[in-house]
Amino acid sequence: MKPSFVTLSLSKLKLQYELLLKTFPTAKVYYSVKCNPLPNVIKYLTEIGCSFDCASINEIKYAISFGCDAKTQIIFANPHCSQADIDEAVRVGVEMMTFDSEAQLLMMKNVAKPLLRLRPDSQSNQFVKLGLKFGTDSFEGQRLLNLAKAMKKDVVGIAFHMGYPIGPADQIMLMLKEVERLAAFNNLKLQYLDFGGGLMPSGVPIEDYAGVSKELLRIQRDNPGLEIQSEPGRYIVEDAIDFYTRVESVDKNRVFVAGSAVQSFHRDLLLSKKLTLSVVKAEELQKCVHSKKRIDIQVVEGGEDKIVIGSSGIRYDIFYEGKLGDVKAGDYIAVKNAGAYTASCLSDRLDQFSGMEPFQVVEID
Ligand SMILES: Cc1ncc(COP(=O)(O)O)c(C=O)c1O
């Protein structure tokens, strides 16, 4: 077994994809590549018919390399990119892109399907308030639609992303109302309505958004030919992946592991301090890898105060400080449901810096 690896449950990926389709039956799913771009994830999602929300030209080319069709299966959903990136995206066949500013709209003369991106107001509980970066309010949105008209550029739809967590259904309903109002006021034939990502794999159950789904169906009935789109990241991949790293040595309260916290678990889990570790015996893990069956990782309360230290030498490389159960060299430290915004934070440069081997991906059922 490798010193550090993740197990990827393909059946869980499929289940999440299907649950989403069941809740929003007419919505086309554009998986948000930035959430986890592991090749195994993108390949499998392509195979089961998923489309992709790409945030950069490199993500676009990457998705295409797995056989996805640029014209019908990619949305370039980063409203702040360079002219060169937009031109390159058009050159490789991408038609759909979002904009939320005059500067971006002016760069999109050759883009076939521009979508205006609105900004939701409801972001009070969010760790990262994406509205600070992306989206526009309706007032500015109106000005941009006027500008598009003056440019003789057809805006074909409206997008919004509630951020994470997505928040209550009534806030999404408000956004849907605003989309309809703007479209009606501007005589805009809505061909695409994109309600973004932010759905939670745990927490508020997806069934709680059945009302939103009904409303989307109603809007679709009122706008013949309208395509509804979702851009889930976390909902699809978070619970499909567990991370394991071997304990190399234990010195009193210091537990040294093979993996690196800053390379493998940078953003969400470390910064939001939501990293929960468990200890798994190597034999148990070996069985799982062999049988391709997932381990039901148990989080044990209590234990002694420990500090789990990553091997990169970077001073931030600390997985955890707190209580941890009995742990010995050769055991594995496990992090359950670690699929979202983890692998995407790895970078080749950091690998070179620490000289560490990237972790292995083991596909399981
Ligand atoms: C435009 C857009 N769509 C989709 C997503 C995916 O969000 P999540 O992983 O919370 O579903 C993001 C995340 O930042 C985003 O900015």
Side-chain angles (χ1 to χ4, degrees):
M1 271 186 311
K2 289 268 184 185
S4 294
F5 60 94
V6 296
T7 56
L8 164 67
S9 165
L10 297 179
S11 60
K12 182 65 178 165
L13 275 187
K14 186 154 184 257
L15 179 71
Q16 293 302 103
Y17 180 70
E18 287 172 351
L19 277 174
L20 201 71
L21 285 179
K22 199 169 153 205
T23 309
F24 303 102
T26 56
K28 188 165 164 183
V29 179
Y30 288 76
Y31 169 71
S32 198
V33 175
K34 62 179 155 301
C35 186
N36 190 322
L38 282 179
N40 313 57
V41 171
I42 306 301
K43 179 171 174 289
Y44 185 70
L45 290 176
T46 309
E47 279 165 18
I48 61 175
C50 193
S51 296
F52 297 95
D53 147 22
C54 298
S56 68
I57 186 65
N58 286 339
E59 281 188 6
I60 289 171
K61 290 182 175 174
Y62 184 64
I64 291 172
S65 75
F66 288 92
C68 114
D69 178 38
K71 187 175 150 109
T72 57
Q73 285 184 286
I74 290 182
I75 176 167
F76 194 177
N78 180 349
H80 292 274
C81 39
S82 68
Q83 182 74 66
D85 284 357
I86 294 173
D87 292 346
E88 183 63 0
V90 170
R91 193 189 67 77
V92 299
V94 174
E95 293 197 336
M96 197 178 294
M97 295 186 201
T98 56
F99 69 95
D100 65 5
S101 68
E102 178 171 336
Q104 182 92 2
L105 177 60
L106 291 174
M107 288 194 274
M108 286 171 57
K109 291 197 185 75
N110 297 322
V111 174
K113 296 178 175 172
L115 267 63
L116 173 69
R117 177 160 166 182
L118 291 180
R119 179 181 63 230
D121 291 328
S122 62
Q123 306 201 347
S124 52
N125 294 328
Q126 295 178 0
F127 174 56
V128 177
K129 295 176 185 36
L130 269 184
L132 289 175
K133 291 165 64 175
F134 303 127
T136 182
D137 60 28
S138 295
F139 189 74
E140 175 66 0
Q142 179 60 57
R143 194 181 75 78
L144 295 177
L145 289 175
N146 292 342
L147 178 63
K149 223 174 265 173
M151 289 166 65
K152 300 204 180 334
K153 185 92 219 140
D154 280 337
V155 174
V156 297
I158 301 183
F160 59 85
H161 170 60
M162 302 300 292
Y164 183 83
I166 191 167
D170 55 0
Q171 296 296 328
I172 308 172
M173 297 291 214
L174 281 181
M175 288 305 291
L176 294 178
K177 276 212 161 48
E178 194 47 24
V179 168
E180 282 192 289
R181 189 196 66 75
L182 259 184
F185 187 74
N186 288 282
N187 246 342
L188 192 151
K189 181 171 164 30
L190 258 193
Q191 297 173 52
Y192 299 92
L193 194 171
D194 187 323
F195 65 98
L199 285 159
M200 293 166 285
S202 41
V204 181
I206 195 165
E207 303 85 73
D208 285 16
Y209 295 97
V212 173
S213 176
K214 247 169 122 179
E215 184 63 356
L216 287 169
L217 284 173
R218 200 267 309 148
I219 297 174
Q220 217 166 14
R221 265 198 311 275
D222 291 352
N223 294 270
L226 170 66
E227 184 175 299
I228 304 284
Q229 304 175 167
S230 69
E231 292 173 3
R234 191 183 297 269
Y235 187 77
I236 299 280
V237 81
E238 181 160 81
D239 291 359
I241 288 179
D242 301 325
F243 177 82
Y244 296 93
T245 187
R246 193 172 61 208
V247 175
E248 302 292 41
S249 62
V250 179
D251 171 50
K252 300 188 183 74
N253 71 329
R254 295 186 301 173
V255 179
F256 293 91
V257 294
S260 161
V262 286
Q263 282 177 245
S264 310
F265 288 100
H266 200 177
R267 199 163 64 193
D268 266 14
L269 300 171
L270 264 190
L271 294 186
S272 63
K273 307 216 181 301
K274 278 197 267 170
L275 198 57
T276 312
L277 306 189
S278 304
V279 180
V280 172
K281 293 283 164 210
E283 309 82 70
E284 197 186 347
L285 202 49
Q286 189 87 54
K287 264 193 244 157
C288 144
V289 169
H290 243 90
S291 64
K292 299 205 173 298
K293 291 263 174 295
R294 194 172 190 177
I295 292 183
D296 183 18
I297 300 171
Q298 300 296 330
V299 178
V300 179
E301 300 283 323
E304 287 174 15
D305 282 328
K306 303 241 165 67
I307 170 164
V308 179
I309 299 160
S311 63
S312 72
I314 300 167
R315 69 187 160 116
Y316 306 106
D317 201 355
I318 292 173
F319 275 82
Y320 176 77
E321 287 179 84
K323 304 274 181 216
L324 195 69
D326 189 32
V327 56
K328 296 187 175 49
D331 292 344
Y332 276 76
I333 293 288
V335 184
K336 191 177 177 166
N337 300 338
Y341 302 104
T342 46
S344 49
C345 299
L346 291 172
S347 92
D348 292 346
R349 208 152 34 94
L350 265 179
D351 283 346
Q352 277 171 23
F353 175 73
S354 60
M356 283 176 52
E357 214 185 312
F359 58 71
Q360 182 195 17
V361 181
V362 176
E363 290 184 6
I364 55 172
D365 287 344

